[in-house]
């Protein structure tokens, strides 16, 4: 491989990129996210997010059965058929438009429930816990969002992966509201941190 390197600069940077196996940039770089995991029978509450300002959206058909997009990029509707769907959507800025493709993976509605919602700790000692879920569709990672940061004790964090960490600096019982989402199937829970 080292013997080939002197020859590569003469064929250009794009060839170097391809020779190393790096993916070539595609037009899908105009969207921050182009694959969406959603759940059958659960209303979609997401948006297409462009990388440029002043973009409007158009779609000729549903992006997935029961799911559409409005001019602002807001996704709406309720997926009504399990499967993977790849559909075109037009991004327009002024009179110039370009087509992008978005993929929707519609998963069967598999119930899930939280576990491990109580975390004991001591002032000045590191916490190391994780909010767990049981059930849900396989292969889909849940996301965790603290909905009231004022409820989190000083020195402690709850990450988007459900990890509870940090070093608490005050004692007490702290009830922290957390929203858990699994492929668009969301529920609110309360994580309890007991610090002594």
């Amino acid at each position: 491989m080292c013997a080939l390197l002197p020859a590569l600069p003469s064929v250009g940077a794009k060839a170097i990129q391809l020779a190393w196996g790096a993916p070539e940039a595609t037009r899908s770089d105009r969207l921050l996210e182009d694959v969406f995991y959603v759940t059958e029978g659960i209303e979609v509450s997401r948006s297409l997010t462009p990388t440029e300002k002043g973009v409007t959206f158009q779609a000729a058909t549903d992006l997935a059965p029961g799911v559409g997009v409005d001019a602002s990029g807001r996704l709406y509707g309720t997926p009504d058929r399990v499967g993977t769907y790849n559909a075109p959507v037009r991004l327009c800025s002024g009179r110039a438009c370009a087509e992008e493709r978005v993929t929707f993976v519609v998963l069967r509605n598999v119930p899930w429930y939280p576990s491990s919602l109580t975390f004991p700790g001591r002032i000045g000692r590191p916490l190391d816990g994780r909010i767990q879920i049981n059930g849900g569709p396989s292969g889909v990672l849940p996301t965790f969002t603290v909905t009231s940061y004022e409820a989190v004790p000083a020195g402690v964090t709850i990450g988007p992966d459900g990890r509870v960490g940090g070093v608490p600096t005050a004692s007490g019982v702290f009830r922290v509201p957390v929203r858990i989402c699994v492929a668009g199937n969301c529920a609110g829970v309360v994580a309890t941190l007991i610090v002594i």
Side-chain angles (χ1 to χ4, degrees):
M1 188 69 160
C2 292
L4 294 176
L5 287 178
L8 287 175
S10 64
V11 294
K14 188 173 182 179
I16 291 171
Q17 223 181 8
L18 295 175
W20 287 103
E24 185 179 346
T26 63
R27 288 189 348 200
S28 64
D29 292 338
R30 296 185 67 191
L31 291 172
L32 288 179
E33 184 177 13
D34 59 3
V35 178
F36 298 89
Y37 291 87
V38 295
T39 299
E40 179 185 29
I42 306 254
E43 186 173 359
V44 175
S45 62
R46 304 279 306 273
S47 292
L48 297 177
T49 307
T51 57
E52 307 163 11
K53 291 185 179 183
V55 172
T56 59
F57 296 89
Q58 302 170 352
T61 61
D62 280 352
L63 301 176
V67 178
V69 62
D70 67 15
S72 71
R74 184 183 67 83
L75 300 168
Y76 61 86
T78 303
D80 58 18
R81 194 173 340 139
V82 171
T84 300
Y85 304 93
N86 188 280
V89 64
R90 289 171 53 90
L91 284 75
C92 298
S93 182
R95 292 184 172 174
C97 293
E99 187 175 280
E100 299 287 339
R101 296 199 73 81
V102 292
T103 301
F104 281 83
V105 180
V106 181
L107 301 166
R108 190 170 48 87
N109 192 341
V110 179
W112 61 267
Y113 60 93
S115 63
S116 303
L117 290 174
T118 303
F119 303 92
R122 292 185 176 274
I123 293 175
R125 292 200 180 161
L127 276 173
D128 187 20
R130 185 175 303 273
I131 299 172
Q132 304 283 335
I133 68 156
N134 293 320
S138 64
V140 178
L141 296 176
T143 58
F144 303 82
T145 307
V146 173
T147 58
S148 175
Y149 286 101
E150 299 81 28
V152 180
V156 175
T157 60
I158 298 176
D161 59 353
R163 184 177 177 279
V164 180
V167 179
T169 60
S171 64
V173 176
F174 303 89
R175 291 178 176 80
V176 182
V178 178
R179 183 172 170 83
I180 304 173
C181 292
V182 183
N185 186 356
C186 302
V189 299
V190 175
T192 303
L193 286 79
I194 304 168
V195 181
I196 55 172

